[in-house]
Amino acid sequence: MKRKLLFGERILLGDGTEPFNVVIAFRLRGTFKKEEIQYALSQIQGKHPWLRALIQHDDHKMPWFEVSEKYPPIPIRMVNRKGEDDWQEESRKEWETLFKYGEQPLLRFIWIRGEEVSDMLFSFHHCLCDGGSALAFLYEFLTILDHPSAEIGVENPILGIHDVVPESILTNRTQKLKAKLIGRVAAMAIKCIPVGKKAVERQNDYLIHWKFDKEMSRELISYCKSMEVTVNTFLCAVVLQAFKKVKGAAAFNKVSCPVDIRRFANQIKEDHIFAFGLMIVVSANHKISFSENLRLMQESVERKTSKLNPYITMMVMESAHDALKSFTKLLKHGKSSNDCMFSNLGRIQIPHQYKAFTLETIFSPSVIGPLGNTTTMVTSTFNGEMDFSFVGSEGYLPYSEALAIRDEVIQTVKEQLDPISVL
């Protein structure tokens, strides 16, 4: 079984010399044997073909996912647990570790082993899948780890654009011409945009983590309902205000927000291993009050989201493979135009209590790569607690400013939830 990488996947893959890795960490209370972990990993590999895949290049240097009958298992790296924050140190190590994708799967497992509590990490190349897919195979891993004979099914994998875009659109002459025209114009425009000769020096990468407890998380959700805005819009407004307060005139007043393609393309199932995403940009009007701004931002988000068309977007991108180098150069060398990427994975639908162990927490994924501004904030909610991972690089956002932004985010949320208490 094999398939060519899509345009977006090729962008994320790069030339193999720089990592673009996602790490999702979780904490289990219980005791485990390596054989049990190996078995659970083998079962999720058995379900998902692309977790067994290596990447090979053909004679035209086009990369392919390829699955053979004999495939290497998911590697396990074990370290002894010394403290609560070991998972952060191991996450940073994984960001920097290349995948030898011609020899090993695009997924690694790290076991930070303790006597009663273990932290575990899935580390994967971003070209393999997104956070939604990772949560799916995390759930399956935990299911098998708790109950080895559990049935998790077999994925019917996506084998190309034809498995996502309906045939009626993919073969429509007008739609094909439209996609090709947009792709050509975009490719020409990208080649004409001036970029620097050198990429920004990232310097040291960092991870800042925090949580809202159950009470604060519950109040935040209730507040958003009362304001008739989504949690995502509220947090975008908070993040934009925090960047404005800390960076002043140097703030861009823009955050990029990934939008799950599964909302629009029902051909892509929850457990599909797939990396393609959509994006909108959110800005704030700092001349009006926070609450007034929320409603305007919500209207803007809904308007921009309604205009997203995953099918045409994929067709346009697939017509632009010859512009890959120009697009990659633009992303790497172009000037940053947004403050950060903000991703809200929402409520994670994974059980907290199992027969053999307890899933104490899931830390929001962290991701870092070589394509421009690395500043990224990811949030998710598990077992009633909202969790934040804030990733950045000194060359784009100094660590001291990132800490100040975190403090502003926390303070702004508290002010909106309980304005009397901070007077």
Side-chain angles (χ1 to χ4, degrees):
M1 180 184 295
K2 67 177 185 178
R3 76 163 172 87
K4 288 182 180 180
L5 271 69
L6 301 172
F7 181 90
E9 294 166 339
R10 290 184 65 195
I11 288 288
L12 297 172
L13 178 67
D15 61 5
T17 63
E18 298 172 296
F20 198 151
N21 300 346
V22 186
V23 178
I24 182 166
F26 52 101
R27 179 168 293 161
L28 299 181
R29 180 171 293 276
T31 56
F32 308 93
K33 297 178 181 179
K34 185 178 180 180
E35 294 77 13
E36 297 170 337
I37 292 173
Q38 287 174 323
Y39 180 76
L41 292 174
S42 71
Q43 291 300 103
I44 65 170
Q45 263 193 307
K47 171 175 179 174
H48 301 286
W50 307 133
L51 297 188
R52 310 193 296 269
L54 307 181
I55 292 181
Q56 306 291 346
H57 289 78
D58 62 21
D59 294 339
H60 302 287
K61 297 183 179 181
M62 177 69 72
W64 292 68
F65 289 120
E66 292 192 9
V67 182
S68 59
E69 290 186 10
K70 292 184 178 180
Y71 53 88
I74 294 169
I76 301 175
R77 180 168 64 86
M78 294 191 296
V79 296
N80 291 325
R81 191 173 190 268
K82 299 175 182 178
E84 294 283 299
D85 296 330
D86 291 356
W87 68 272
Q88 297 187 37
E89 179 182 349
E90 297 304 323
S91 294
R92 288 189 288 268
K93 287 181 182 178
E94 286 299 317
W95 297 344
E96 300 171 356
T97 305
L98 282 168
F99 279 92
K100 297 179 180 179
Y101 53 67
E103 305 170 11
Q104 296 287 338
L106 295 164
L107 178 67
R108 295 189 288 258
F109 187 85
I110 300 85
W111 180 13
I112 308 173
R113 183 172 52 182
E115 291 185 5
E116 297 181 356
V117 175
S118 288
D119 292 332
M120 300 181 180
L121 288 69
F122 276 112
S123 174
F124 56 94
H125 199 295
H126 202 1
C127 76
L128 175 70
C129 64
D130 59 9
S133 298
L135 290 173
F137 63 69
L138 169 57
Y139 167 71
E140 293 160 359
F141 168 80
L142 294 170
T143 299
I144 298 296
L145 189 62
D146 186 53
H147 186 44
S149 61
E151 179 57 53
I152 59 173
V154 176
E155 178 193 358
N156 183 21
I158 292 171
L159 297 174
I161 188 173
H162 56 274
D163 284 338
V164 178
V165 180
E167 186 178 0
S168 59
I169 297 175
L170 193 61
T171 59
N172 182 281
R173 188 169 181 271
T174 301
Q175 299 288 10
K176 288 169 66 177
L177 288 173
K178 177 182 177 182
K180 190 171 183 178
L181 177 61
I182 295 173
R184 292 301 89 208
V185 171
M188 291 177 61
I190 288 169
K191 291 178 181 179
C192 295
I193 296 174
V195 296
K197 293 183 179 180
K198 293 184 178 180
V200 172
E201 181 63 40
R202 267 167 54 176
Q203 303 176 40
N204 293 329
D205 301 324
Y206 54 80
L207 168 62
I208 301 172
H209 172 262
W210 72 95
K211 282 182 180 289
F212 292 158
D213 61 23
K214 289 184 179 181
E215 181 179 358
M216 189 170 176
S217 300
R218 184 169 55 249
E219 288 177 357
L220 190 157
I221 293 170
S222 296
Y223 173 85
C224 292
K225 288 181 179 178
S226 69
M227 296 295 292
E228 297 182 338
V229 300
T230 64
V231 171
N232 193 75
T233 297
F234 171 72
L235 291 175
C236 280
V238 170
V239 169
L240 286 165
Q241 181 165 297
F243 270 89
K244 180 67 174 177
K245 285 188 176 181
V246 172
K247 294 185 69 67
F252 293 103
N253 189 28
K254 291 180 181 178
V255 293
S256 301
C257 295
V259 179
D260 191 351
I261 191 174
R262 295 167 183 82
R263 291 174 54 182
F264 305 91
N266 56 18
Q267 298 89 339
I268 307 173
K269 307 303 179 185
E270 293 294 329
D271 62 349
H272 266 135
I273 302 299
F274 195 62
F276 188 87
L278 302 168
M279 195 79 66
I280 61 171
V281 175
V282 181
S283 298
N285 184 343
H286 295 298
K287 295 180 180 180
I288 59 179
S289 70
F290 186 89
S291 58
E292 290 175 321
N293 195 42
L294 273 182
R295 292 186 174 88
L296 288 179
M297 286 180 65
Q298 185 62 48
E299 292 174 2
S300 174
V301 167
E302 291 174 0
R303 184 169 58 252
K304 290 179 178 180
T305 303
S306 68
K307 293 180 180 179
L308 292 175
N309 188 326
Y311 304 135
I312 292 298
T313 301
M314 286 191 73
M315 292 171 67
V316 168
M317 294 176 74
E318 288 309 292
S319 73
H321 277 269
D322 59 335
L324 186 85
K325 288 185 179 180
S326 297
F327 190 54
T328 300
K329 185 177 180 181
L330 175 64
L331 291 174
K332 284 187 175 183
H333 296 186
K335 291 184 178 180
S336 180
S337 61
N338 69 327
D339 294 301
C340 75
M341 180 176 289
F342 176 78
S343 178
N344 177 19
L345 296 178
R347 189 160 68 94
I348 298 176
Q349 306 277 8
I350 294 179
H352 161 64
Q353 189 64 55
Y354 293 80
K355 291 181 181 179
F357 55 82
T358 300
L359 176 58
E360 292 201 341
T361 193
I362 299 175
F363 301 103
S364 292
S366 61
V367 57
I368 201 160
L371 302 179
N373 190 350
T374 60
T375 313
T376 304
M377 192 180 297
V378 182
T379 184
S380 59
T381 302
F382 175 74
N383 198 27
E385 293 183 333
M386 196 167 289
D387 183 277
F388 294 80
S389 289
F390 188 13
V391 171
S393 305
E394 288 275 1
Y396 287 102
L397 180 69
Y399 182 66
S400 59
E401 291 186 2
L403 288 175
I405 288 168
R406 174 204 60 188
D407 293 343
E408 284 291 341
V409 166
I410 294 171
Q411 181 65 15
T412 301
V413 171
K414 289 181 177 179
E415 289 175 357
Q416 298 306 313
L417 300 187
D418 191 6
I420 297 177
S421 66
V422 295
L423 293 177

